[in-house]
């Protein structure tokens, strides 16, 4: 339960799925929803008001699922409860609010981030469950192949330079960087992170939470970190020119810097940094590697079924993704989703990373400094063997890790 006291209003709820009792207090209802979400390995819990009721949805493996409906008359008490335990204003109903809750269930402890916004039918709440404290995955378990692992090892073992992970929200960028931090973490190094929010906790690593109210932004925090005699710095996200310039300068002056950025692929990260105001020669000399990534749902090992690319599937691929059709011919053996109790009849359980690992070598550094555009850089990287995200996805289709439909869902064509 949240480590806050609150009143115990009597409530009733109609259950659509999950082990939640029919009659209970608001506190018990809220705790049971969060515990159920945790047990189902949800990343986010949505409390979504509608005209006649409120629906609870979980995001599991990147997909939202309707879980529970709550009677409309119980909505105010539940929202009040959430505001109390997250230290938000209970009398504010028309402005966005953000807070945090720490949950304690027996021996399970985890933090969460709360966001409340007003909608036409009431206040919508989204709670991000930061449940991976101290349990960041091993780098070798994320889905990198051996050549990619070799590139990453060359990069994170350097004493200086920059490693960037790029991709959309929810693509596993932070997990990738934390997996590297675990490998370089030692008592001989001073490692600091600045994040919003802090998603993992690693012994020996100093974590700083961005706090706009205290004027602790990525830029101001990063300036402060550089006065802390760091060896390695992780920045949750490069969002603006000031943060980008400080990060690049830190990487140039003897620090290993890890960060994320929102770009569609590895190559376009270079012009994105330049657009932010970083000099070309600084990008060329400081960036060691760029990892672009997506997360695809992993086929449930208990129910996945063997199949082959049919003529109909192939013709569909020709229409929507010719690059996939070129790699998956008619008759190619693949696996497909089925559905069982272990995966809640979705056919998927867990996720696997799809990666594009671009090492900035001598030739690329020269071209970046000379002003080469993204297409020119792309051509050079491809000649050197750059594996695209969609190509990595095909490898994982053929290995039985994921399905064609899932790769179609999560990948985008490079224009």
């Amino acid at each position: 339960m949240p480590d806050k006291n609150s009143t115990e209003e009597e409530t009733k709820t109609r259950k659509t799925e999950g082990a939640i009792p029919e009659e209970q207090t608001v506190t018990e209802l809220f705790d049971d929803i969060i515990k159920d979400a945790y047990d189902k390995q949800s990343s986010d819990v949505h409390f979504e008001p509608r005209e006649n009721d409120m629906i609870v949805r979980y995001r599991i493996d990147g997909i939202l699922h309707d879980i529970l409906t709550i009677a409309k008359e119980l909505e105010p008490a539940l929202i009040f409860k959430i505001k109390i335990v997250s230290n938000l204003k209970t009398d504010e109903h028309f402005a966005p609010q953000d807070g945090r809750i720490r949950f304690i269930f027996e021996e399970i402890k985890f933090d969460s981030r709360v966001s409340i916004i007003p909608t036409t039918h009431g206040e919508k709440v989204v709670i991000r469950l930061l449940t991976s404290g101290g349990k960041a995955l091993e780098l070798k378990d994320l889905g990198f192949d051996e050549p990619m692992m070799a590139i990453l090892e060359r990069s994170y073992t350097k004493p200086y330079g920059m490693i960037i992970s790029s991709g959309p929200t929810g693509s596993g960028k932070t997990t990738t960087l934390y997996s590297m931090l675990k490998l370089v973490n030692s008592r001989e190094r001073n490692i600091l992170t600045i994040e919003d929010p802090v998603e993992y906790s690693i012994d020996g690593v100093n974590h700083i939470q961005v706090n706009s109210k205290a004027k602790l932004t990525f830029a101001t925090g990063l300036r402060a970190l550089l006065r802390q005699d760091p060896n390695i710095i992780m920045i949750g996200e490069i969002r603006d020119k000031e943060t980008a310039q400080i990060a690049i300068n830190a990487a140039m002056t003897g620090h290993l810097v890890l960060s994320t950025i929102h770009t569609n692929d590895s190559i376009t990260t270079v012009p994105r940094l330049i657009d932010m105001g970083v000099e070309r020669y600084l990008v060329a000399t400081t960036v060691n590697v760029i990892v672009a990534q997506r997360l695809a749902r992993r086929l449930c090992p208990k129910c996945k079924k063997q199949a082959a690319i049919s003529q109909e599937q192939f013709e569909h691929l020709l229409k929507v993704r010719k690059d996939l059709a070129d790699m998956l011919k008619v008759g190619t053996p693949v696996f497909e989703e089925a559905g069982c109790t272990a995966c809640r009849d979705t056919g998927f359980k867990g996720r696997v990373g799809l990666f594009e690992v671009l090492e900035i070598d001598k030739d690329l550094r020269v071209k970046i400094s000379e002003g080469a555009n993204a297409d020119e850089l792309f051509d050079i990287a491809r000649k050197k063997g750059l594996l695209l995200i969609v190509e990595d996805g095909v490898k994982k289709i053929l290995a039985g890790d994921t399905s064609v439909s899932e790769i179609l869902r999560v990948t985008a064509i490079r224009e």
Side-chain angles (χ1 to χ4, degrees), residues 257-275:
V257 177
L258 291 74
S259 189
T260 73
I261 196 168
H262 286 282
T263 54
N264 289 327
D265 55 38
S266 58
I267 292 292
T268 54
T269 301
V270 173
R272 174 72 179 128
L273 289 171
I274 294 168
D275 288 344

Side-chain angles (χ1 to χ4, degrees), residues 278-345:
V278 180
E279 295 288 343
R280 287 184 176 276
Y281 79 92
L282 290 177
V283 175
T285 55
T286 57
V287 178
N288 294 338
V289 69
I290 301 168
V291 180
Q293 61 185 83
R294 300 291 188 275
L295 285 177
R297 289 181 294 170
R298 191 187 292 272
L299 285 167
C300 176
K302 291 188 176 181
C303 67
K304 66 180 180 181
K305 58 183 182 181
Q306 198 156 13
I309 299 294
S310 66
Q311 183 66 39
E312 184 180 357
Q313 280 181 303
F314 179 72
E315 289 175 0
H316 176 68
L317 289 176
L318 277 176
K319 291 178 182 177
V320 298
R321 288 296 301 268
K322 188 177 182 302
D323 54 344
L324 271 175
D326 290 339
M327 293 180 275
L328 296 171
K329 302 297 184 182
V330 176
T332 301
V334 295
F335 285 86
E336 294 179 346
E337 60 270 30
C340 65
T341 55
C343 61
R344 301 174 61 252
D345 291 320

Side-chain angles (χ1 to χ4, degrees), residues 77-93:
L78 183 57
I79 297 296
F80 182 83
K81 166 67 182 179
I82 293 171
K83 288 180 178 180
I84 286 289
V85 295
S86 53
N87 286 321
L88 299 179
K89 296 177 181 178
T90 58
D91 58 348
E92 177 58 76
H93 305 287

